Structure formats: C-alpha cells, structure tokens
Amino acid sequence: MDGSLCHCGRSRYRPGYPCTACRVEKEKRRRLKIRNGAPPKTRVRDPGAAESPRYARPLRADRFLITSAQNATPVHKGFLAALRVAAKHLGAELVVVPIRYKNPTSVWTSDQESDEHWAPEIEPYLYNVRKKLNRNLILCADVKVQPTASSPLTGFEALTGAESCIIGHPKMQFRSVPAPSGRYPKILSTTGSITRQNFTDSKAGKLGAFHHFLGAVIVEIEGKRFHLRQLNADRTTGEFTDLATHYTAAGARAAPSALGIVFGDTHARMVCALVDEATFGPGGIVDTLNPETLVFGDLFDGWSINPHHAGNPFIAAAKYNGGANVHAEVEHAIKFVRDRCAGRKAVIVGSNHDAFLARWIISTDWRTAPGNAAFYLETAQAMLASVRLTPGGAEYSDPFLYWVNRLKGDADIHALARDESFKLADIECGLHGHEGPNGSRGTLRNLSRLGGKVISGHSHTPGIQEGHYQVGTSTPLRLEYTSGPSSWQNAHAVVYANGKRSLILVIDGRWRVPISGRKKK
C-alpha cells in the first residue's frame, strides 16, 4: 500500500499517522471505554523527548520567505498560493515556523484528537530549529512565543548575541537594537502568519486577532549582509506586493506605482552619499518603485544655527572656518528636494530641525549675525506680517515654510503647516514623531496608540509597533552628537498602491539583491 495512505485507504493526516477519520474513531472508542468503567490511560513523557516533532531540512538558498503557522488552524490558501508563486519567481525557500496556542473555543479543533498538529498543506515547509542564515542573522525557529503576546520581541535583545534574529509570531514587530560603533546593525523581527485568525474571545484573544498580520518577511542574503522586508498580504485574497512585483495565486506581475515613500530623516546638509545614491540613483529605490509622492522629514538640518551648539566655542570656530551661512543652508535643503522631485509630488513634514529656523529668528539679535543679517531681516519681516491673534492665542507663519514657497519654483512641493495632516491611503504621514500625545515626546510606542496607522521618523531608529511604522535616517550613522551604542539605521518606508507598507533598509549602500544576482541552487 502507498505509504501516504492510511490503512483504510484515505490520505494520512501526517506521514506515519492514521487519517483524521481513523483518529476520531479511535478517540470515540477510548471515551466509550472510560464511560464503561475502564481506567483512562496516562501518557508518560520521556523527559529527554522533544516537546513536538522536529521539523528540519537543509536551507541552502540565498533568499527566504519566512512566516509562521498556528497549530490546529487552517492556512489562508490564497496567501499560501501567492507565496509559492513568489518563491518560484525569486528562487527563494519558503519557511514556516510552527507556533502553538491553546484555544478551547476554536471551531477547527472540536473534532480533533489533539491540537498538536499543523495544516497538511504547509507540512513540507515547517521548520522549528535554530538556523544561522549568515554570519549576522539567525532564524530562531525553536522559540515559541504565545500568539497573543502584546510585545513578542521583549526580552530577546541578547538571545543571539551580536547577530540579528527572526522570531516566528503572527504579530508584526520590528526593533533596532543599539550596537557598538563599527558593529553590523542588529535587528529583531517577527514574521507574520500564514494561518487564519484563531483566538479565544478573551481580551488577549481579541487583541491578538486585531493585530494578526497575514504576511511574511523576505530575507535576502548577500555575503555578510542581509536585507529584510515585510510582505503584507490582503486578508481576503492573500495577494501581496514586494518592491516592483505583485504576487497573486495566479502568478507574478508588475506592481502599480507605489503611492509614496517616507524617507528616513533627510538632514540635507548631512545626507550620506551612499544612501542618496541607493535612494535616488539609477536603479535605486525611487527609480524602481516609481512612487507618486516623496515625503521628507527633518529636511533642513540647521547645523549653521543649531541651538544645541550654543556656548561651544570650538563648534563656533568650525562654523566660522567653514563659512556656515543659514541662507545658503536653507537654499541647499530646498534645492535638494527640487532636484529629486523629477515631476513627482513632494511633501515636507514639519519637523524639529526645520523649526530651528524659527528658534534662531526669535532668540538672535540680527546685529550679532552680520553674515546673515539680510536673510534674518527678510525672514523676521515675513513672520511679523503674518502675526494674528486667534481665540487660541497668537499665531505667525513658519519661516521655513515661507522659504519653501519662495524657492520651490514650479516644482510640486508642499510644506505642511503645523499639525497639518497628510495621508497616503489611510496612513497618517504628517507626524514627524518629535511630538507625542498631549505634549509628550513622541515614541514608537505612544504613537502606536493613536487608533490609526502612522508613519513617522525623528528617532533615526526604524521600528514597527502595531499600526506605527518608524523610519530611520538618511545620514551617516555617526554624527557629531552621537556616541556610544546606537540603534540608528538607514531606513525608509514605502506605501504600495494597495495601501500596504514595508520598511526598506539601506545597508552599506545596498538596499536589495537583484533577482538576476541570486545564486543558483
């Protein structure tokens, strides 16, 4: 008899196991014996035995599509089919991390002998051992985190030492971990899930269902370097977009132009040349994704008038020797955007560094700034002309917004006013991140509690917490005001045509591995 068939002729539940019908019948006979007075059998577990079957196989690809699957829960068939299409198109290995959850209210486990099983369609892809994917990244598939955990990455910062790690979990979370200078960036990431929502009706269960991420992460290995992005699938069809390709159960096709890209904080005077080339150069992120809108935060660095330099004579000497000029820096920042728009719409988000200009006007005596006196007086006059008293108090125009409108020419550039909203799809992109709720300082956590989707920046540290995606920086990872271990990373966020998001990291000037550049397996 074919080894894939049960003794009754039906397909086996799992290799070496009887079919589901035989398992159910066996359980009925066992319960009948107990009701008739027979003592129930107790199973004694070997202390040295593994908690669950060991799923391991050689992983030799240089691309991986990694997701997770909850026990006793059906897979999303459309998403599985789309993942298979993507795996074939990319030459990638599909890896599914099995996770467990005890759900006595599940409609899918009521007729099963045990909930210690996973959908048979994903059996060939299950993997639950620890694997070093390259010298800087470890897949911790041996770690089981409760699917309802509100912060699944908490406590894992040191689990893999200096290497980054991936944890199987249905909630999407991403963290950048501070690392000493010169060490490769370290990240922690979960995977999303390939199975459908299957949670209890408790508070934890309802929150787990709400944050259930039907998706995966794609990992591209390039020597010691790796690239990781989020694949966010449509909950109905299971299709998803990765960069310029859209994957469905029927096949792969060119994706529509992205709605927009929110860049890591720009700081135009300090922008890293490698990041600039990877972002705006030929074959770069903008060239590949063809976004309709470019969103810039902290466009103006304000080094020439940085209030944190006040009282430091050595920085003052460096500015004098370098001919620091605030007018020239403002012009350079606006020209930076104008040169990179190339017919696209650009949005400049009100940010703390852009606000340095207003702080300088308010706190400086123009008579002590002879090299910037004319610029100071014109700017102050524009602010004075805009002053008005409102029921909420005094208001006046933002001087940086004034100069953007003066110098943008015919480019489609819009500088947001204070507290002005700007959305890509249903995602709020008008919050820089320096201001949090009720006057607090913005953080990854408190901006995730706003009740809507948000993309922000400010901290230079990329992250994902529930509905909040946080970008990194476009500058070098070490500036004059950084010291000690740092979590800074060069990272942007893309919003695809379907409204789904992903972080795109630039590491050593590289942001992906082209499909044509993959190794043959």
Side-chain angles (χ1 to χ4, degrees):
M1 181 180 288
D2 185 350
S4 65
L5 298 179
C6 179
H7 63 83
C8 67
R10 301 185 183 91
S11 296
R12 290 184 180 275
Y13 158 71
R14 184 189 295 168
Y17 286 74
C19 68
T20 298
C22 289
R23 288 160 59 87
V24 172
E25 186 60 30
K26 181 179 178 181
E27 175 64 9
K28 288 180 178 178
R29 292 196 300 269
R30 185 185 71 83
R31 292 182 179 181
L32 181 61
K33 289 180 180 179
I34 294 174
R35 284 198 298 268
N36 292 336
K41 293 182 178 179
T42 57
R43 181 179 296 177
V44 179
R45 178 182 291 273
D46 179 359
E51 292 186 359
S52 61
R54 186 175 186 270
Y55 299 103
R57 64 185 187 279
L59 299 180
R60 300 192 180 95
D62 61 355
R63 270 190 179 86
F64 301 94
L65 305 177
I66 306 175
T67 185
S68 66
Q70 187 173 311
N71 60 316
T73 306
V75 301
H76 190 294
K77 296 185 184 299
F79 182 42
L80 174 59
L83 281 175
R84 285 171 171 163
V85 168
K88 183 177 180 179
H89 180 256
L90 296 168
E93 180 116 25
L94 177 55
V95 177
V96 180
V97 178
I99 57 178
R100 292 191 298 270
Y101 180 63
K102 186 69 174 177
N103 185 359
T105 65
S106 172
V107 299
W108 293 302
T109 58
S110 59
D111 62 345
Q112 299 292 329
E113 177 182 343
S114 168
D115 59 5
E116 187 70 15
H117 68 276
W118 286 265
E121 302 99 308
I122 56 173
E123 187 83 28
Y125 309 113
L126 293 180
Y127 194 85
N128 64 353
V129 297
R130 192 168 300 197
K131 171 67 177 178
K132 194 165 188 173
L133 301 181
N134 79 346
R135 61 186 289 185
N136 288 302
L137 179 63
I138 296 176
L139 171 61
C140 294
D142 58 323
V143 176
K144 300 291 186 292
V145 180
Q146 188 75 358
T148 54
S150 61
S151 186
L153 295 178
T154 297
F156 290 120
E157 291 81 2
L159 177 67
T160 55
E163 291 89 353
S164 299
C165 78
I166 298 173
I167 303 287
H169 197 271
K171 182 176 183 177
M172 178 50 63
Q173 193 175 36
F174 181 101
R175 285 188 181 177
S176 178
V177 179
S181 178
R183 183 179 290 178
Y184 202 75
K186 178 173 181 177
I187 65 170
L188 306 179
S189 178
T190 57
T191 60
S193 178
I194 196 173
T195 46
R196 295 185 174 275
Q197 296 178 6
N198 183 19
F199 297 90
T200 64
D201 55 3
S202 64
K203 175 184 176 181
K206 292 298 183 181
L207 289 174
F210 179 78
H211 294 298
H212 182 271
F213 183 92
L214 183 68
V217 292
I218 178 170
V219 176
E220 299 175 330
I221 302 299
E222 189 179 29
K224 70 174 184 178
R225 194 183 295 116
F226 68 88
H227 308 279
L228 185 148
R229 300 182 297 275
Q230 296 75 38
L231 305 177
N232 193 341
D234 183 274
R235 290 196 176 191
T236 302
T237 64
E239 58 191 57
F240 61 89
T241 297
D242 177 49
L243 302 181
T245 307
H246 189 72
Y247 297 98
T248 71
R253 64 173 186 266
S257 297
L259 294 181
I261 297 177
V262 180
F263 300 114
D265 292 3
T266 304
H267 299 273
R269 186 188 180 279
M270 301 287 190
V271 72
C272 174
L274 290 176
V275 176
D276 191 36
E277 179 66 19
T279 304
F280 298 102
I285 298 171
V286 172
D287 192 26
T288 301
L289 304 186
N290 191 28
E292 298 172 4
T293 305
L294 309 180
V295 183
F296 298 85
D298 265 348
L299 171 65
F300 177 62
D301 180 73
W303 185 81
S304 57
I305 51 172
N306 192 320
H308 304 299
H309 294 165
N312 189 321
F314 305 103
I315 294 181
K319 290 180 180 182
Y320 177 81
N321 294 335
N325 181 283
V326 61
H327 191 186
E329 188 177 356
V330 168
E331 287 185 324
H332 173 266
I334 299 168
K335 184 177 184 298
F336 182 92
V337 176
R338 197 172 62 237
D339 290 347
R340 288 158 179 78
C341 282
R344 308 176 201 276
K345 178 180 180 179
V347 173
I348 300 173
V349 177
S351 309
N352 56 306
H353 275 253
D354 298 343
F356 284 176
L357 186 57
R359 293 177 65 176
W360 177 70
I361 294 292
I362 293 169
S363 63
T364 302
D365 183 343
W366 66 272
R367 294 172 297 180
T368 65
N372 293 300
F375 175 79
Y376 177 100
L377 291 172
E378 180 179 350
T379 307
Q381 176 60 36
M383 294 174 67
L384 182 62
S386 69
V387 170
R388 63 193 182 100
L389 190 62
T390 72
E395 290 185 359
Y396 50 87
S397 66
D398 184 310
F400 187 69
L401 189 152
Y402 165 79
W403 280 106
V404 170
N405 292 329
R406 276 283 310 275
L407 300 175
K408 69 180 181 179
D410 58 359
D412 188 3
I413 301 175
H414 177 61
L416 300 180
R418 181 180 181 182
D419 292 333
E420 182 179 353
S421 172
F422 174 73
K423 288 188 176 183
L424 293 171
D426 59 345
I427 304 166
E428 178 59 64
C429 301
L431 298 175
H432 176 58
H434 61 302
E435 295 177 329
N438 298 319
S440 65
R441 183 176 181 179
T443 66
L444 180 63
R445 182 176 179 83
N446 66 21
L447 291 180
S448 73
R449 297 288 189 263
L450 297 184
K453 300 175 183 176
V454 176
I455 297 178
S456 76
H458 179 58
S459 72
H460 295 191
T461 300
I464 300 174
Q465 177 76 27
E466 298 172 0
H468 181 200
Y469 281 49
Q470 185 171 269
V471 298
T473 181
S474 297
T475 68
L477 300 182
R478 290 288 168 177
L479 296 179
E480 65 182 20
Y481 51 87
T482 57
S483 61
S486 172
S487 58
W488 285 21
Q489 291 194 45
N490 301 127
H492 310 312
V494 57
V495 180
Y496 294 117
N498 58 6
K500 304 296 186 180
R501 297 170 285 178
S502 176
L503 293 177
I504 300 178
L505 276 65
V506 181
I507 299 177
D508 298 335
R510 301 276 291 177
W511 64 282
R512 66 164 180 174
V513 178
I515 296 176
S516 59
R518 70 175 186 261
K519 300 175 184 176
K520 293 183 179 180
K521 294 195 289 180

